[in-house]
Amino acid sequence: MERRRFLQHSAIAGWALSILPLASCSLPPADQETLAGFPLAEKTIPELQALMADGTYSALDLVDMYLARIAEIDAAGPGLHSVLALNPQAQEMARQLDQERVNGKVRGPLHGIPIMVKDNINSGGNLPTTAGSLALAGNLAGEDAFLLASLTDAGAVLLGKTNLSEWANFRSTRSSSGWSSVGGQTHNPYVLDRNPCGSSSGSGVAAAANLCAATVGTETNGSIVCPSSTNGIVGIKPTVGLISRTGVVPISHSQDTAGPMARTVTDAACMLGAMVGVDPDDAASVLSAGKFLPDYTPHLKADGLKGAKLGIVKSAMGFHEEVDALMEQAIEDLKAQGAEIVEVEPIENIGSLWGVGYQVLLYEFKADLNAYLEKYSQNPDMKSLEDVIAFNSAHESEAMPHFKQEILEQSQAKGDLNEQEYLDAKQKLQAASREGIDQTMKEFGLDAIIAPTGGPAWCTDWINGDHFGGGSSQFAAWSGYPNITVPAGFVKELPVGLSFFASAWQEPRLIELTYAYEQATGHRKEPTFIPSIGQDTKR
């Protein structure tokens, strides 16, 4: 999430992949012969399913091919470092699913499909869950998160865990997105010295670089949509509660959600249908009863924009002239598909809410993380936020080589969730954001609100931290409402996304709109791992 904006307005385990240090702002060029000709490149989940159905490949073949791809370009080659750990059971999972297919059983569209999830999502067996922090290195949560169990029950093969911004980027005001003390720095696959955004950095890069069929990220404010935008993929940040948070390392129970990240709206919709469901252990999930769909693919409608009315947030533009040009072209493309566009401002005096939102997160992070660690941490010395802070201080050279932990310390200083400061801040934030979006949707008769997801990726900087160039994630984040970003073009070699958001539980309509836009424009392009802007990929 975009932590810095809040403040502007107020021993690695052996299972981890080796890390290539970021020696400078320019990285060596990729070997294009190694990268070319990957047979699964840009294959959608339905296409992979068809290849297994006709016997061209088995699920085990897919797993082996993606593992070879990871070895070639993630651990070596360009050194993307998006994969934090591989699942030693992936091949056995694939074999079992292949046998089921031979026996005439296909669980659904994800049967035998290799995926990866962000490493703040619990995985059972001997695959650790670390949130990218050395304080949890090697930590075995004991069981799959509810959402991961749902995906594997649907036939997905867990290939591994993706790197992330440590503690989902809630550690320091000068942190670098995509960096964790367990996984090192993840690199943007379009331009390697550029940042992948975060906190679901590895999930965005792994999907973009064809290291698996699709991934799962998590978001508090921007952590799905920003890395999706900067890595040229589709990201769905659903209504809070549509997907269970049980077994996910938290920041905020009022804003946290997981969501699918994929190269196409089709793949994201396939993933979403397998991730939803009522979890009695998650109070927000209980509210999704009767509101989720087991299959979102019927809403993949090429004419989904015909007759639609969309509100453009012009105040979210103006931070980069080339992004503005892409948005103006997007408006024309949307109109050409039958949509009407009007200008709106869904939240008045939005600047005053940044500090309020930050206070909510500080309180909830302490309470929610303490509860998570008490339940899932297997280390008796790592049962609270206070323990994490003490560990980092005692291992400063390894855990904090580039930036500190002042956000953790600020959170630790807060009281409990009965504090009036917290109650007032939460009520103000949610009322302003939810009422603003709902009223705007009603007043203008909108199907959705649109805005640039963010700016082009910045050069990774371990001294000053991230340099966000604009964004619109706060509207859906503060309200807990759905947001889908889809590729909208490029600023030079760097992807930029367009966000569609609406009121609660409107994922089906947003999928119709984004699919129609995607099919009409076709902005998604496979990355070519350019070392730096101004350098080509030839040796």
Side-chain angles (χ1 to χ4, degrees), residues 130-451:
T130 72
S133 173
L134 283 178
L136 292 183
N139 182 64
L140 300 177
E143 60 186 15
D144 287 349
F146 185 96
L147 73 90
L148 179 54
S150 298
L151 285 165
T152 56
D153 285 348
V157 178
L158 178 61
L159 196 61
K161 309 286 286 289
T162 56
N163 199 14
L164 68 157
S165 312
E166 186 170 318
W167 295 115
N169 229 357
F170 204 66
R171 203 190 90 176
S172 171
T173 59
R174 284 193 290 274
S175 62
S176 172
S177 286
W179 185 91
S180 73
S181 55
V182 172
Q185 180 66 55
T186 302
H187 303 303
N188 190 299
Y190 287 88
V191 181
L192 297 173
D193 66 2
R194 296 279 162 162
N195 196 269
C197 199
S199 62
S200 304
S201 312
S203 294
V205 172
N210 288 277
L211 303 185
C212 58
T215 61
V216 177
T218 66
E219 175 162 330
T220 305
N221 185 349
S223 285
I224 288 174
V225 295
C226 185
S228 295
S229 175
T230 58
N231 291 288
I233 62 170
V234 174
I236 300 181
K237 195 289 287 189
T239 305
V240 170
L242 188 68
I243 296 173
S244 166
R245 287 86 53 82
T246 299
V248 179
V249 181
I251 290 179
S252 161
H253 61 264
S254 62
Q255 292 181 207
D256 286 352
T257 180
M261 301 171 71
R263 291 179 292 276
T264 66
V265 177
T266 296
D267 291 349
C270 289
M271 290 282 287
L272 184 63
M275 296 172 68
V276 299
V278 173
D279 172 13
D281 292 331
D282 181 347
S285 174
V286 173
L287 300 178
S288 74
K291 299 181 176 69
F292 66 83
L293 301 177
D295 183 4
Y296 288 86
T297 60
H299 292 275
L300 299 169
K301 299 180 179 180
D303 62 350
L305 284 164
K306 187 175 182 180
K309 190 172 184 181
L310 307 174
I312 177 73
V313 185
K314 281 296 185 77
S315 66
M317 298 169 61
F319 58 86
H320 195 294
E321 67 278 4
E322 292 190 56
V323 174
D324 288 348
L326 290 178
M327 294 303 106
E328 295 297 342
Q329 182 59 56
I331 290 171
E332 295 306 311
D333 292 335
L334 292 164
K335 289 179 178 178
Q337 295 302 308
E340 178 185 354
I341 312 294
V342 297
E343 292 188 25
V344 299
E345 185 53 62
I347 301 179
E348 298 295 332
N349 302 315
I350 191 170
S352 66
L353 293 178
W354 283 102
V356 175
Y358 185 56
Q359 293 304 310
V360 171
L361 298 192
L362 289 176
Y363 275 99
E364 292 191 355
F365 180 68
K366 178 182 178 181
D368 296 350
L369 182 64
N370 284 348
Y372 172 90
L373 292 173
E374 183 62 36
K375 181 176 183 180
Y376 293 111
S377 174
Q378 302 301 305
N379 182 351
D381 296 324
M382 201 57 59
K383 291 292 187 178
S384 68
L385 173 59
E386 186 175 20
D387 292 338
V388 172
I389 292 170
F391 175 92
N392 289 341
S393 297
H395 302 83
E396 185 168 358
S397 61
E398 299 89 4
M400 299 190 294
H402 307 301
F403 45 87
K404 304 303 179 184
Q405 57 177 344
E406 66 272 16
I407 293 179
L408 302 187
E409 292 165 347
Q410 290 169 17
S411 180
Q412 178 60 28
K414 292 296 183 183
D416 62 27
L417 299 185
N418 295 313
E419 296 281 346
Q420 197 62 45
E421 179 186 43
Y422 164 71
L423 296 172
D424 290 346
K426 182 178 178 180
Q427 192 280 329
K428 180 178 181 179
L429 184 71
Q430 292 190 340
S433 56
R434 292 178 180 177
E435 291 171 9
I437 292 174
D438 290 343
Q439 181 58 35
T440 299
M441 297 281 293
K442 181 179 179 180
E443 178 182 350
F444 291 94
L446 302 178
D447 292 87
I449 300 171
I450 61 173

